[in-house]
Amino acid sequence: MSEHHFVFVHGAGHGGWCWYKIANSLRENGHKATCIDLKGAGINLTDPNTVSSLDDYNQPLNDFLSQLPLDQKVILVSHSVRGGSMTAAMCQYPSKVSMAVYVAAAMVKPGTIIPPILKEVLKICSGMIETEAEKIWDFTFGNGPCNLPTTMMMKPEYVRDKYYNESPMEDYTLATTLLRPAPIMAFAGIVDIPAAPEADKIPRVYVKTGKDNMFQSSRQDLMVTLWPPAQYFLLEESDHSAFFSQPEALYKILLEAASSISP
């Protein structure tokens, strides 16, 4: 069996911890798995209110890719709105990435005009309208109440339905102890990543989640239409968090996708 190195990028509010089931399965079967904590997420000690930009938020991922040996490539796997973080990393380090897998993730081609329905990044994976923002999210104003908010976190009463509606209760319970506020400045720039021809050559895989209450099915379909991936998979019974609700199926998808490339 060929060994692959998978590098996982979590979604907003989450951390590398959310991939623990997938990472364990991969490691037990002879593959490598690295779960990145972006800045201010997971066990990264940075205050998320101080994260200043997409590049700042992505620093741990960029540092990891920049330090890979010249002869090594990895398979990047991203979730939710942080698909934008993965795309940005692909553009900066295309020679380090052999494949990019978007799991219910924001997949927007760099350098293209984005339709309004996708351009509002805060809505991409929330399915909310502007008047619902304060209903669903708690905002922190780290720079004072007269300035824009610095972080956002889903209110506890919405977490189960939006993130984990099909996931085991124990994973939902674990997540409620580990979720952290997401830095709002990390959303800026995701839809304005400049064109990167080398990154566009990297094989992409899209994994759609069929019972997703967070990322509307029509918006996932639109992204796939606008930037068709090399491979497409549907997890019909998955909520937004496929790593909890459908870990075995997602694991098999990752191996099937990876089988098309050299390790």
Side-chain angles (χ1 to χ4, degrees):
M1 180 184 67
S2 299
E3 178 189 88
H4 293 279
H5 187 176
F6 295 84
V7 176
F8 294 92
V9 184
H10 59 80
H14 293 69
W17 54 265
C18 70
W19 300 102
Y20 79 95
K21 291 183 177 182
I22 306 297
N24 182 66
S25 294
L26 289 167
R27 291 166 183 163
E28 284 187 336
N29 289 279
H31 300 281
K32 292 182 179 179
T34 299
C35 302
I36 301 290
D37 282 323
L38 298 176
K39 212 167 187 182
I43 60 172
N44 184 285
L45 297 178
T46 303
D47 179 354
N49 289 288
T50 66
V51 174
S52 60
S53 66
L54 176 62
D55 284 343
D56 188 26
Y57 187 57
N58 287 355
Q59 183 183 339
L61 175 59
N62 292 339
D63 287 349
F64 177 85
L65 293 174
S66 68
Q67 293 165 16
L68 279 175
L70 292 175
D71 61 343
Q72 290 188 18
K73 290 188 175 186
V74 299
I75 298 172
L76 290 181
V77 185
S78 65
H79 178 238
S80 197
V81 74
R82 295 276 58 96
S85 290
M86 182 174 75
T87 301
M90 291 161 54
C91 292
Q92 292 190 49
Y93 302 98
S95 65
K96 303 292 188 180
V97 183
S98 58
M99 174 175 280
V101 183
Y102 294 80
V103 181
M107 184 177 69
V108 176
K109 184 175 182 179
T112 58
I113 298 175
I114 310 302
I117 195 172
L118 292 180
K119 194 163 187 178
E120 293 298 325
V121 177
L122 293 180
K123 301 176 187 176
I124 281 182
C125 295
S126 68
M128 67 182 181
I129 58 176
E130 291 180 5
T131 55
E132 290 182 318
E134 292 185 358
K135 173 185 173 184
I136 296 175
W137 303 97
D138 281 323
F139 295 94
T140 301
F141 294 82
N143 295 324
C146 296
N147 294 303
L148 293 174
T150 48
T151 64
M152 59 189 293
M153 187 168 182
M154 186 173 290
K155 294 181 178 180
E157 60 266 34
Y158 292 97
V159 169
R160 176 69 172 166
D161 178 65
K162 294 294 186 182
Y163 285 153
Y164 314 117
N165 50 291
E166 299 292 326
S167 296
M169 184 60 71
E170 59 264 32
D171 289 318
Y172 159 68
T173 301
L174 172 68
T176 60
T177 70
L178 297 173
L179 290 169
R180 292 178 65 184
I184 287 178
M185 291 307 296
F187 291 92
I190 286 177
V191 296
D192 296 317
I193 300 171
E198 290 304 311
D200 200 24
K201 297 176 183 178
I202 298 171
R204 284 173 295 103
V205 178
Y206 194 85
V207 182
K208 180 181 176 180
T209 41
K211 292 187 176 180
D212 195 324
N213 290 344
M214 187 76 169
F215 196 173
Q216 294 176 354
S217 178
S218 60
R219 293 185 179 183
Q220 294 191 60
D221 293 339
L222 179 58
M223 289 193 312
V224 169
T225 300
L226 291 175
W227 197 21
Q231 298 182 63
Y232 170 87
F233 298 90
L234 170 62
L235 287 172
E236 293 186 6
E237 300 301 314
S238 178
D239 57 23
H240 190 55
S241 303
F243 40 75
F244 287 161
S245 62
Q246 293 286 301
E248 293 182 6
L250 179 56
Y251 164 73
K252 291 177 181 177
I253 284 174
L254 292 178
L255 291 189
E256 181 178 342
S259 68
S260 65
I261 59 173
S262 299

